[in-house]
Amino acid sequence: MSLITVIGRGHSGTRAISHTLYASGVFMGHTLNRSGDKVPPQALYEACRVMARQVKWEGDLKWDFSALTSGPIDPEFKRLVEEYLADVLKDRSGHKGWKLPETTLIFPWIVRLFPEAKYIYWIRDPRDCIIGGHKTDDLRDFGVEYPATDDVRRRRAISWKYQYDLMAAVPAPANRITVRFEDFVLRQEETLERLEAFLGIPLGRIIVRPETLGRWKKDEQQHYFDFFHQAMLENDYTEGLPPA
């Protein structure tokens, strides 16, 4: 039996892998929405707020995540996660899991609760990722402090950076694979072969749409921020990338 979860900020294309897993016989929860999210999400949202109490905002775009890897896990957090995942944890399917973008906000404690799980870390060019709105755009809704701004795009960009930095601050679990959404769309067969080797199961093929990529090229609002630069280099998003 294996437990699988998808990690990645909202609008990273995570619905593609959720639909793929579902189509491949992985139990993803009794109720999924159109994006392949396991719903209802309220208990996990509250778990995000519980964990956020241990994140120290140091001003500007810096946060101290050290307490998340060394300090105790709040019992209330564990209760809320188990409430959210009740149907998944009780299911007897050989392969089961869930996808909800907000899981990224609690990745450090999820890894500690489920160290043997298989984690699919889904990333996307941040310039595309922040074009559309998402529940996690305003991190204060989840108890996370950040520089106040009325600029919606900047708020989304800060959310993207926070989640990227949070993932980078946590030692990688034993079973984690990183997949770029762009590779899944443009090199689906090759990417699925990587995922099949990682998961140990055959995966179904879903329809992908190349037009979902590079939307930033036609976007007339601000979609690039200087604090994206290093992360974009690290993930080979170099097309149109301004000098540092």
Side-chain angles (χ1 to χ4, degrees):
M1 181 179 294
S2 64
L3 183 66
I4 304 165
T5 187
V6 180
I7 303 295
R9 185 190 180 274
H11 289 307
S12 291
T14 53
R15 79 167 62 191
I17 185 59
S18 181
H19 289 170
T20 295
L21 292 171
Y22 180 81
S24 305
V26 178
F27 176 73
M28 299 293 285
H30 285 309
T31 307
L32 306 182
N33 64 16
R34 292 176 59 187
S35 295
D37 297 336
K38 176 180 150 40
V39 293
Q42 282 71 28
L44 191 131
Y45 288 175
E46 189 57 34
C48 292
R49 299 179 184 108
V50 172
M51 196 201 78
R53 298 171 194 158
Q54 305 304 317
V55 177
K56 182 181 178 182
W57 180 40
E58 298 181 324
D60 195 24
L61 299 180
K62 295 181 180 180
W63 299 267
D64 181 357
F65 303 116
S66 59
L68 303 178
T69 57
S70 59
I73 294 177
D74 191 315
E76 179 68 1
F77 175 88
K78 185 174 184 292
R79 185 192 68 78
L80 288 163
V81 169
E82 290 176 347
E83 177 184 336
Y84 170 70
L85 291 177
D87 55 343
V88 172
L89 297 177
K90 290 177 183 177
D91 193 81
R92 295 179 179 272
S93 300
H95 302 283
K96 58 186 182 178
W98 81 95
K99 174 257 181 178
L100 187 73
E102 289 76 11
T103 306
T104 311
L105 294 174
I106 53 174
F107 178 70
W109 280 2
I110 287 292
V111 166
R112 293 173 62 185
L113 288 182
F114 306 107
E116 303 302 320
K118 295 184 176 180
Y119 295 91
I120 303 174
Y121 180 26
W122 209 254
I123 61 173
R124 184 182 190 179
D125 189 324
R127 295 171 295 188
D128 276 344
C129 197
I130 69 168
I131 287 177
H134 187 261
K135 176 70 175 176
T136 60
D137 287 351
D138 188 350
L139 292 170
R140 285 198 176 88
D141 288 345
F142 296 93
V144 177
E145 293 298 314
Y146 67 94
T149 177
D150 292 326
D151 183 332
V152 173
R153 285 290 179 94
R154 185 173 182 83
R155 192 180 301 145
R156 293 175 189 168
I158 292 171
S159 174
W160 190 95
K161 177 175 171 53
Y162 174 85
Q163 293 182 62
Y164 186 84
D165 289 354
L166 178 63
M167 290 293 299
V170 179
N175 301 306
R176 191 184 95 171
I177 188 173
T178 299
V179 179
R180 299 192 328 162
F181 176 58
E182 293 80 5
D183 293 334
F184 182 83
V185 172
L186 298 177
R187 291 181 285 276
Q188 186 186 34
E189 195 61 32
E190 175 186 331
T191 303
L192 284 172
E193 287 175 1
R194 283 184 63 220
L195 283 164
E196 287 174 335
F198 173 70
L199 297 172
I201 58 174
L203 295 173
R205 273 56 177 164
I206 66 170
I207 296 173
V208 294
R209 302 191 305 276
E211 63 271 19
T212 60
L213 306 182
R215 289 178 171 172
W216 59 269
K217 298 175 184 177
K218 296 182 179 179
D219 180 62
E220 297 181 353
Q221 299 182 49
Q222 185 174 3
H223 48 254
Y224 173 77
F225 293 81
D226 290 344
F227 51 81
F228 283 165
H229 193 89
Q230 185 58 40
M232 290 177 66
L233 286 177
E234 291 170 358
N235 294 284
D236 201 26
Y237 293 123
T238 55
E239 182 182 359
L241 182 63

